[in-house]
Amino acid sequence: LVRIGSIALLGSTARGYSHTTARSDVSLDVSQSLQSLARDLQQAKDVTVVQTYHLRIFFPQRNTDGSFTRSITDSVNTVDYFRANAAGAVSATGTFMVRRAANTTGRRLCTGVSRLEFESDSAGSVNVSMAAVGSYGARFEMIHRAIFMRNN
C-alpha cells in the first residue's frame, strides 16, 4: 500500500513538473520574441501595419561609415515580423512568429502562436498582442506597447 501511494505521488509530481515546465517554456518563447521586436523598434524610423498579423519596420538610412542619417528613411533594408505557416509564408492562421530582414528567408522566433496582432494608433508607437500554446496545453499571452518617437 505504501509502495502504491509512493508511485502515485511520484507520477503526480512528475506531471505537475511537466506542466510547470511547459508553461515556463511557452512564456519564455513569447517574451523573447517580443524582446527581439522591441530591440528592432528601438531603432525604428517608421512602422507599417501591413496586415493585423504583419508588421514592417523601417530604419533610418545607414551611411557608408556606419552612422545613421535619422531624417531619411531607408525603404530597402526593412524588417518584417509576421505570423507564418510551416513553410514560412505570411498566414493569418499560421502557428509561428517569424522575423524576416529584407532579402532573407527569415527565422522562426516562436512556435505555437495562436494570436499575433499589431496595431499602430499613432505615428510613434505600436501595440503588439501575442498568445501561444505550448505542450500540455500551456498558454501564455502578452501585450506590449512600443514607443519609438525619438527617431522621427
Side-chain angles (χ1 to χ4, degrees), residues 22-90:
R23 182 164 298 158
S24 176
D25 289 346
V26 74
S27 68
L28 185 63
D29 285 349
V30 169
S31 61
Q32 286 179 337
S33 298
L34 291 179
Q35 284 175 358
S36 175
L37 174 64
R39 280 191 302 274
D40 281 335
L41 286 171
Q42 286 175 348
Q43 299 302 319
K45 172 80 173 134
D46 195 13
V47 299
T48 298
V49 177
V50 180
Q51 296 167 313
T52 56
Y53 49 88
H54 183 178
L55 181 75
R56 179 163 294 141
I57 302 172
F58 296 89
F59 298 98
Q61 181 176 323
R62 185 182 296 245
N63 303 315
T64 54
D65 66 356
S67 65
F68 290 98
T69 302
R70 299 215 179 266
S71 60
I72 301 173
T73 301
D74 182 349
S75 60
V76 176
N77 298 306
T78 60
V79 172
D80 289 299
Y81 283 85
F82 54 90
R83 195 167 171 182
N85 60 22
V90 177

Side-chain angles (χ1 to χ4, degrees), residues 112-144:
V113 174
S114 59
R115 185 179 73 245
L116 179 61
E117 296 172 355
F118 300 103
E119 178 186 43
S120 184
D121 55 3
S122 72
S125 69
V126 64
N127 297 323
V128 184
S129 176
M130 184 176 178
V133 178
S135 56
Y136 297 101
R139 182 174 175 81
F140 187 78
E141 298 182 42
M142 186 177 272
I143 297 172
H144 179 73

